[in-house]
Amino acid sequence: MDLGEWLLLGSLSCCLLLLVDGYRRARRRREHALSMARSSSLPASHIDSERAEPDRTQAAAEDSPPYSSVPSSAPAGSSSSIEDDEAATLIGASINVTGDIDCAESIRVEGRLDGLLVADEHHVVVGAQAEVGPQLRAGTLHIAGRVSGEQHAKGAAVIAPGARVQGTLKAQRLKCDEGACLSGSFNVGGHREGDPQR
């Protein structure tokens, strides 16, 4: 074999190693995302940036998430969940954000957010270890962590066991599980801004 053939063989070997390593890393990210979702008992979706698709047969075999009936960006009454959203943003557990966020997609907060979070037409999930405040606006809202200040959900708000909610919460529908701690004022099913009061 001459030098050109050796170089070609080496290049092919490197390409094969890169493909195997990429597959291994994607699989590890997917397993990590699934374990995070199971540990927080919240709906998981597209947690890593490559949006690895979970194995549908494995997902069907596992218990479905307890709040999968909470709609995401779909209209009220829809049965889709954050898993069905094409795009979702994750603020990871090690991330602290100070400032305002305006989302054009569903968002899951696992870290800390100090500022205004606006996702008016989308689903917002506040993870079990997350802290969010002082203002949050969402299409639908799922709280499992700590939220303080003013929260507004155009549709449903779900407060999971162990959640801590302080301040003002406005929502069209509210589901509060046993074990949640609520402190403040709540307006559920009240009139929307712009609607005539009767």
Side-chain angles (χ1 to χ4, degrees):
M1 289 177 48
D2 64 358
L3 181 61
E5 292 173 334
W6 280 109
L7 289 175
L8 180 62
L9 183 62
S11 298
L12 290 174
S13 299
C14 287
C15 289
L16 179 63
L17 288 174
L18 286 172
L19 286 172
V20 169
D21 185 56
Y23 173 76
R24 182 185 56 82
R25 287 176 186 238
R27 187 172 183 178
R28 188 180 329 158
R29 275 193 207 115
R30 187 172 130 219
E31 289 170 357
H32 177 69
L34 289 173
S35 69
M36 291 280 290
R38 281 190 213 114
S39 68
S40 66
S41 74
L42 294 175
S45 78
H46 310 293
I47 293 179
D48 60 60
S49 59
E50 278 77 28
R51 290 170 175 53
E53 284 292 336
D55 181 16
R56 297 294 177 199
T57 57
Q58 179 184 5
E62 296 173 359
D63 292 339
S64 62
Y67 304 108
S68 61
S69 63
V70 176
S72 58
S73 58
S78 170
S79 63
S80 66
S81 69
I82 194 169
E83 282 111 350
D84 300 329
D85 256 348
E86 187 62 31
T89 298
L90 171 70
I91 297 177
S94 63
I95 297 175
N96 293 326
V97 177
T98 301
D100 298 343
I101 296 177
D102 191 349
C103 268
E105 61 187 17
S106 294
I107 184 168
R108 181 184 184 102
V109 181
E110 293 291 344
R112 183 181 177 131
L113 172 62
D114 186 14
L116 168 66
L117 172 59
V118 178
D120 284 328
E121 303 300 323
H122 303 284
H123 191 64
V124 174
V125 175
V126 178
Q129 304 303 316
E131 294 182 32
V132 176
Q135 196 170 11
L136 191 155
R137 292 189 348 226
T140 56
L141 180 59
H142 185 117
I143 302 171
R146 294 178 178 264
V147 176
S148 61
E150 184 179 324
Q151 304 93 42
H152 182 261
K154 286 185 174 182
V158 176
I159 303 174
R164 303 255 184 252
V165 178
Q166 293 180 318
T168 303
L169 174 66
K170 294 179 183 177
Q172 286 301 305
R173 294 177 312 280
L174 176 65
K175 178 182 178 192
C176 183
D177 289 333
E178 187 176 344
C181 180
L182 308 175
S183 173
S185 63
F186 302 91
N187 181 351
V188 180
H191 76 280
R192 295 181 180 146
E193 291 181 25
D195 286 351
Q197 292 187 4
R198 301 170 200 237

